[in-house]
Amino acid sequence: MPISWSSPRFPLQAIRICVAILLATPVWAQSVISARSGIVHYVEGDVAIDGEAAQPKFAQFPEVKKGQVLSTTEGRAEMLLTPGVFLRLSENSSVKMVSNSLSDTRVEVMAGTALIEVGELLPDNAITILTGEAKIALPKRGLYRVDAEPARLRVFDGQAQITDADQKLSAKKGREVELTSSLPVKNFDVKEIDAFHRWSGRRTGYIAAANVTSAHVAGNSEYSSGFVGGRSSWSWNQYFGMFTFVPSNGIYQSPFGSPFYSPATIRFVYIPRMTTNMMIGAPAPPPLIPGSISPMAPPAFDHPSPGPGSLNIPSRAPVAPGGMVSPRMMGGRGR
């Protein structure tokens, strides 16, 4: 006699397992992006690749290929390099992808300002930023700002290695290097930041919020989001409509203050709430995690209250678990 869904011989627990597998397969089995640097992850305003408008769509992201130029006018952009490395571009700026290989990613800052956040650098990956004749290697976690005019590097966190002709030096947190032939160095106040810096911090906060669910699923699913072999990776999060960074172990604490959890560590900080919805396989709202943006409410902005142009949330914006409007839909550069 065939067993029906309502049969006592088909227990509720089996139904839950089947639903979980069906939901997990298409979402998390294909969670890792291509093995190249240069994915344009987010744009605001006027952004172009070789003069053609770059407009990411849901689950579809343009790629800056070798030799191409990513540029902004009245806009900003976020590009993913090797796993754990973000490059963000300010207004009236441009960068050229000299090499998009993960083992030797090279990006030239041609105009304006780029902020590079290095969350992790895998042993077989390398990041080099070029401007003029200077070469800036970023071998460690940190936050680095490169300006094209005047050419300079500011290290907000971490350590950079600069080479210009026969000159070589290492710069740590709080050091500013003029990228000329003599490479003069001076101190600067890392607390003196601008609107672009604050915008970059908000972007990191949004991506860190997506990390919570991605790390939790990766730690509890056969579809381990690229963790076979214990490697950190970019991981697609359908609820937030973006990629997030998931370290292979430990916790990456961003210089902006947002934590990124590995699948192992998320088990100790993520405690799902037992609700009726969970009984039928629906995801529960993630709890508030100290030091991160709460997935329960939209992240705070610099403005004391949303003003014109500061926050633009479409009335039918996608909603993530817990009722949070997807950060991908939050527009407005603010201050």
Side-chain angles (χ1 to χ4, degrees):
M1 180 181 69
I3 300 175
S4 69
W5 286 90
S6 59
S7 171
R9 298 175 61 187
F10 201 108
L12 180 60
Q13 183 63 30
I15 296 176
R16 294 177 194 155
I17 293 173
C18 291
V19 171
I21 292 174
L22 289 173
L23 291 175
T25 301
V27 176
W28 305 104
Q30 300 178 358
S31 61
V32 183
I33 62 178
S34 63
R36 293 186 298 272
S37 293
I39 299 298
V40 180
H41 190 225
Y42 182 80
V43 304
E44 287 185 7
D46 298 324
V47 179
I49 300 175
D50 276 358
E52 296 290 332
Q55 292 295 333
K57 300 178 181 179
F58 187 83
Q60 297 181 17
F61 301 90
E63 180 180 355
V64 182
K65 299 179 181 179
K66 181 178 179 181
Q68 291 186 324
V69 174
L70 175 67
S71 60
T72 65
T73 50
E74 291 299 316
R76 294 172 181 165
E78 175 180 84
M79 182 166 62
L80 306 182
L81 301 182
T82 64
V85 182
F86 309 85
L87 185 148
R88 298 184 176 106
L89 207 56
S90 186
E91 296 91 344
N92 301 306
S93 303
S94 61
V95 294
K96 181 178 181 179
M97 183 63 70
V98 178
S99 170
N100 61 355
S101 167
L102 295 184
S103 62
D104 184 27
T105 295
R106 292 173 176 257
V107 180
E108 179 183 0
V109 179
M110 304 173 65
T113 299
L115 195 66
I116 303 96
E117 179 181 354
V118 181
E120 183 172 356
L121 197 64
L122 300 179
D124 52 352
N125 292 171
I127 299 290
T128 304
I129 307 299
L130 313 172
T131 182
E133 299 298 321
K135 300 178 182 179
I136 306 166
L138 305 178
K140 295 185 177 182
R141 290 181 174 181
L143 185 62
Y144 310 90
R145 178 167 176 148
V146 178
D147 297 298
E149 186 61 41
R152 66 179 178 181
L153 162 71
R154 280 181 281 180
V155 181
F156 284 88
D157 193 31
Q159 183 175 357
Q161 298 173 354
I162 305 98
T163 303
D164 192 336
D166 296 331
Q167 299 292 321
K168 295 183 179 180
L169 63 84
S170 178
K172 295 184 178 181
K173 180 178 179 178
R175 302 289 274 174
E176 176 182 311
V177 183
E178 293 183 22
L179 301 177
T180 62
S181 57
S182 58
L183 296 178
V185 182
K186 64 180 180 180
N187 294 330
F188 78 100
D189 187 355
V190 297
K191 295 181 180 180
E192 292 185 0
I193 59 177
D194 59 9
F196 172 56
H197 191 108
R198 291 190 291 272
W199 175 84
S200 297
R202 291 195 293 272
R203 285 296 307 155
T204 293
Y206 299 150
I207 296 170
N211 160 270
V212 174
T213 51
S214 289
H216 180 68
V217 170
N220 291 276
S221 171
E222 294 179 1
Y223 306 99
S224 56
S225 302
F227 285 94
V228 177
R231 292 178 65 85
S232 304
S233 71
W234 298 118
S235 181
W236 169 248
N237 188 308
Q238 70 157 0
Y239 300 119
F240 287 77
M242 63 171 67
F243 282 96
T244 187
F245 172 58
V246 182
S248 62
N249 58 75
I251 301 173
Y252 161 54
Q253 188 73 32
S254 167
F256 295 111
S258 300
F260 289 77
Y261 299 95
S262 66
T265 57
I266 196 67
R267 299 173 187 173
F268 299 102
V269 297
Y270 183 99
I271 304 176
R273 298 178 182 178
M274 295 302 294
T275 66
T276 303
N277 287 340
M278 288 188 67
M279 299 300 293
I280 60 173
L288 174 64
I289 296 175
S292 69
I293 292 178
S294 169
M296 299 295 291
F301 278 68
D302 292 326
H303 301 284
S305 61
S310 64
L311 183 62
N312 177 23
I313 303 177
S315 59
R316 301 182 65 85
V319 177
M324 179 179 178
V325 175
S326 169
R328 180 176 178 270
M329 303 301 296
M330 294 184 179
R333 291 189 289 277
R335 295 184 296 169

